[in-house]
Amino acid sequence: MRLKPFEFLNPSSLEDVFELLVRYGNEAKCLAGGTDLLVQMKQRRILPKRLINLLPLSELKGIHKAEDSLRIGALTRHVDLERSAFLEKGWNLLALAATKIGSPQIRHLGTIGGNLCNASPSADTAPPLLVLHATVCLSSLKGNRQIPLEAFLTGPGQTGLREDEILKEVILPKPPEGSLFTYLKLGRRKSMDLALVSVAVLVTINPERKTFEQVRLALGSVAPTPIRARAAEKQLGGNLIGEEAIREAAETAAQECQPMTDLRATAEYRREMVKVLVERAVKQSLGFPIPPTGI
Amino acid sequence: MKKQIALTVNGVKRELLVNPQDLLLNVLREQLGLTGAKYGCGIGECGSCTVLLDGEPILSCMTLAVAVNGSEVTTIEGLLGSDGSLHPIQESFLEHGAVQCGFCTPGMILMAKNLLDKNPHPSEEEIREHIRGNLCRCTGYTQIVQAIKEVSLTRKA
Ligand SMILES: Cc1cc2nc3c(=O)[nH]c(=O)nc-3n(C[C@H](O)[C@H](O)[C@H](O)COP(=O)(O)OP(=O)(O)OC[C@H]3O[C@@H](n4cnc5c(N)ncnc54)[C@H](O)[C@@H]3O)c2cc1C
Ligand code: FES
Ligand code: FES
């Protein structure tokens, strides 16, 4: 499969990128790792006349730690997330999810910005970022604006990105002290598959009272965008930790998602798996024994 | 319009004229005659087009040549010694019968090299994890994993 001809634009600064976006609008697409974009172009699903190469722009690279937040440049690759010493404690959830993406080769090419802008319901960085309360910084000639990731992801393949904007960075506030977390991804096979269902959980507990404090749950591949499971979260927050309560919350999560039937799985199966995986994920994050599963 | 790019391929500097839409895989195979990297699926699923870019494994079927201007590329051809001798990983693949049709082999060997360079004594699980994006339709993987393991065992700690 070859690519149809296009013009390749090599901007040398962010200003250049913004000007090109204003000049060419939807005729141009930004290129990061290309692992989504070039596949779509090969399959003739999109045929942009121009590609704007973001790769050389150092402003979009690197992970920076401030007093109580982390700023992750849009061009940060999945391997960079895996390797970064900054992604410790609750932030480590993002690194954990990155290890479950594609293959080492895909993780050396693919970026966090591409994963979010491509806006697949199965994007593996999204559920962890939702429970980490990520915001995205969007940038254009008009300046920067920050919006919560949850508002940025608007539908399958759709985001709040305006035609003249790029995603500059992802900003993570400090996760709560003592965060317990995990990410589970169910595919049709163990490697090289997109998620049929994925679950990110981040909780804090009060060990004396044996209660949940904060509970954050996010689900991938079971709605038009990755979503928070807020009803299930509410059911657990502040309440006593127990197997029954976790099971009931998992059922609530299965009810509040809106899965679809597609080539890879039926809606019913996905819903059933939300129940299984939410229960398992919450238990695993608390250190309860769970059967070995290979996912 | 063609663009001029510079690549260091297997240690040799090359100046090339490429179209924006040319994939690194096609440039390696068609302009440079390096046919080690294979075209399998073309969409990132099989790993047969794997090459090392600045020492790190990527898929040349989904990499634009213009986008890697200035980089160093290592293909399977670059693993031969200056006297034409095979690389120890290649020897080990032959010894273990880890090559049948050979289509996946260049990608598998480059992934093995990348793993062993970082982690000289990987566990079987680490080996399998590292080649999870490389499909083999012939061997059933067992011999490939054994071949990689053997190199790691015979290397000095
Ligand atoms: C074989 C294979 C396996 C995969 N497995 C997984 C998986 O397990 N999990 C998963 O989540 N994904 C997977 N993917 C999808 C893909 O690798 C990821 O979504 C990746 O993170 C995309 O990043 P990229 O840098 O390659 O994006 P690109 O392809 O370069 O870009 C994707 C889209 O985002 C736009 N874009 C990119 N960066 C910006 C920016 N900074 N500002 C504005 N727009 C931008 C582009 O214009 C394009 O529309 C897989 C892909 C392949 C081919
Ligand atoms: S040909 Fe590149 S991954 Fe299959
Ligand atoms: S030896 Fe034939 S594909 Fe691996």
Side-chain angles (χ1 to χ4, degrees), chain A residues 1-10 31 33-36 38-39 42-43 51 53 55 77 83 99-109 189-192, chain B residues 3 20-23 26 30 39 41-47 50 53 56-59 61-64 66-67 69 107 111 114 118 125 129-134:
Chain A
M1 255 176 293
R2 295 191 186 235
L3 293 162
K4 292 253 189 220
F6 51 82
E7 189 184 353
F8 188 75
L9 303 165
N10 229 341
L31 173 73
T35 58
D36 280 316
L38 296 182
V39 172
K42 283 185 173 199
Q43 297 175 341
L51 291 192
N53 185 19
L55 288 168
R77 301 168 305 166
R83 291 173 188 161
T99 64
K100 305 203 173 184
I101 292 177
S103 59
Q105 294 96 315
I106 292 287
R107 299 199 294 269
H108 275 92
L109 291 167
R189 52 181 190 268
K190 198 170 163 195
S191 58
M192 290 302 282
Chain B
K3 301 215 176 205
Q21 71 271 22
D22 288 344
L23 296 159
N26 301 118
E30 289 154 27
Y39 178 86
C41 65
I43 53 168
E45 304 275 351
C46 77
T50 300
L53 187 74
E56 299 195 303
I58 56 115
L59 301 172
C61 77
M62 28 203 327
T63 300
L64 296 178
V66 277
N69 186 10
M111 289 311 284
N114 172 253
K118 289 187 302 188
E125 203 181 315
E129 184 61 31
H130 207 69
I131 58 171
R132 74 190 236 183
N134 294 71

Side-chain angles (χ1 to χ4, degrees), chain A:
Chain A
M1 255 176 293
R2 295 191 186 235
L3 293 162
K4 292 253 189 220
F6 51 82
E7 189 184 353
F8 188 75
L9 303 165
N10 229 341
S12 51
S13 69
L14 275 183
E15 267 70 58
D16 286 355
V17 174
F18 300 148
E19 276 166 20
L20 291 169
L21 285 173
V22 170
R23 188 172 329 148
Y24 295 119
N26 64 8
E27 281 189 1
K29 275 273 176 192
C30 290
L31 173 73
T35 58
D36 280 316
L37 184 63
L38 296 182
V39 172
Q40 290 160 9
M41 289 169 62
K42 283 185 173 199
Q43 297 175 341
R44 312 288 192 252
R45 283 191 275 154
I46 53 168
L47 291 169
K49 289 203 176 122
R50 297 179 171 83
L51 291 192
I52 302 174
N53 185 19
L54 300 181
L55 288 168
L57 299 175
S58 55
E59 299 96 316
L60 300 178
K61 289 183 187 159
I63 303 180
H64 306 278
K65 196 171 170 180
E67 176 101 35
D68 46 26
S69 67
L70 204 62
R71 292 180 13 242
I72 304 174
L75 288 180
T76 304
R77 301 168 305 166
H78 303 304
V79 273
D80 303 323
L81 296 173
E82 284 171 54
R83 291 173 188 161
S84 171
F86 289 138
L87 294 188
E88 47 159 19
K89 301 195 181 147
W91 285 330
N92 194 244
L93 174 58
L94 180 59
L96 176 65
T99 64
K100 305 203 173 184
I101 292 177
S103 59
Q105 294 96 315
I106 292 287
R107 299 199 294 269
H108 275 92
L109 291 167
T111 63
I112 189 169
N115 198 231
L116 296 178
C117 292
N118 191 60
S120 161
S122 66
D124 277 307
T125 64
L129 289 172
L130 287 176
V131 299
L132 290 168
H133 287 177
T135 55
V136 289
C137 176
L138 310 179
S139 203
S140 71
L141 272 187
K142 295 180 189 138
N144 293 332
R145 61 182 180 121
Q146 276 188 35
I147 59 173
L149 177 63
E150 208 171 351
F152 177 74
L153 301 170
T154 53
Q158 282 164 9
T159 66
L161 203 65
R162 288 196 317 249
E163 224 167 73
D164 64 337
E165 280 178 327
I166 63 159
L167 192 160
K168 186 161 167 248
E169 58 191 11
V170 178
I171 301 162
L172 299 181
K174 206 171 179 159
E177 267 319 304
S179 289
L180 304 169
F181 55 87
T182 197
Y183 182 66
L184 296 182
K185 171 180 178 179
L186 174 71
R188 286 171 305 182
R189 52 181 190 268
K190 198 170 163 195
S191 58
M192 290 302 282
D193 203 5
L194 303 178
L196 292 176
V197 174
S198 65
V199 176
V201 43
L202 185 147
V203 300
T204 58
I205 58 169
N206 182 325
E208 271 118 62
R209 297 169 53 198
K210 298 200 169 42
T211 53
F212 286 104
E213 288 182 329
Q214 294 198 44
V215 178
R216 303 181 194 168
L217 284 167
L219 310 175
S221 294
V222 289
T225 66
I227 52 165
R228 286 281 291 274
R230 288 223 158 71
E233 293 178 354
K234 273 220 188 80
Q235 217 170 313
L236 289 176
N239 287 328
L240 271 182
I241 296 171
E243 299 227 2
E244 193 53 36
I246 297 171
R247 208 169 309 126
E248 280 169 16
E251 266 175 41
T252 302
Q255 287 318 310
E256 68 184 302
C257 66
Q258 314 138 45
M260 267 190 13
T261 295
D262 64 13
L263 279 178
R264 302 166 60 252
T266 62
E268 293 76 18
Y269 178 72
R270 287 194 156 101
R271 210 183 278 284
E272 197 58 30
M273 287 305 108
V274 168
K275 197 162 81 190
V276 173
L277 290 189
V278 168
E279 177 178 350
R280 204 176 275 170
V282 174
K283 285 186 178 171
Q284 183 168 311
S285 69
L286 294 169
F288 283 22
I290 52 162
T293 59
I295 61 168

